[in-house]
Amino acid sequence: MEWFDQLRALPGVLYAMALGGAIGYERELRNRPAGFRTHMLVAGTAALLLGLSRMVLEDGQYGGAGLQIDPLRLVEAVVAGVSFIGAGTIFASRGGESVQGITTAASLLAVAAIGITVGFRYHVLALAITVLTLLVLTVLSWVERRARDRATTPGD
């Protein structure tokens, strides 16, 4: 495979990184354990792995060898790797009264799914999922804060 052909996966990786970066930026603004760069790398790597598998299948060097790649196995591998990273973002407070980082772990899984979606070339769906994820992280956080404030404010 010529070097120029190898660059075909690069726009998808860049697009996935941009989408993951948008979510990571929100996490960064909230000073969470995994932020801008981490989310970009997770989304980009997921897109790269799926794009690479597609390129290998299309490469004449491997085509005659009966090579088969199950894309769902690649998805499982990405999810397993991201789950490991996500687990590192979850911290229990002393005394075990609260757990922090679960939303960030979930956002890492979301950007991995966005990267996978880009890797499968479903770009519009990836953008829609990015917008929905940002809405969950921002709007629902605001709703939770307001509900909490109302619950702790002495009654009128």
Side-chain angles (χ1 to χ4, degrees), residues 38-60:
T38 304
H39 283 76
M40 286 182 75
L41 290 171
V42 167
T45 301
L48 174 63
L49 289 172
L50 271 289
L52 182 61
S53 70
R54 200 176 50 252
M55 286 175 25
V56 167
L57 285 175
E58 295 169 0
D59 191 339

Side-chain angles (χ1 to χ4, degrees), residues 111-122:
V111 297
I114 290 165
I116 289 166
T117 305
V118 170
F120 280 129
R121 295 184 179 164
Y122 298 120

Side-chain angles (χ1 to χ4, degrees), residues 19-138:
L19 296 177
I23 294 168
Y25 185 69
E26 186 278 338
R27 298 280 80 198
E28 192 80 35
L29 290 175
R30 297 183 184 276
N31 200 26
R32 299 302 186 228
F36 186 63
R37 294 177 299 157
T38 304
H39 283 76
M40 286 182 75
L41 290 171
V42 167
T45 301
L48 174 63
L49 289 172
L50 271 289
L52 182 61
S53 70
R54 200 176 50 252
M55 286 175 25
V56 167
L57 285 175
E58 295 169 0
D59 191 339
Q61 178 180 348
Y62 301 106
L67 178 67
Q68 294 180 342
I69 295 177
D70 180 1
L72 293 181
R73 286 189 185 197
L74 288 170
V75 169
E76 291 171 357
V78 168
V79 169
V82 170
S83 297
F84 179 76
I85 295 169
T89 67
I90 299 172
F91 299 99
S93 67
R94 291 183 187 227
E97 294 180 17
S98 69
V99 177
Q100 297 175 337
I102 294 176
T103 302
T104 299
S107 69
L108 286 168
L109 182 58
V111 297
I114 290 165
I116 289 166
T117 305
V118 170
F120 280 129
R121 295 184 179 164
Y122 298 120
H123 297 110
V124 174
L125 178 60
L127 178 61
I129 298 304
T130 301
V131 170
L132 286 173
T133 302
L134 285 169
L135 286 173
V136 166
L137 291 172
T138 57

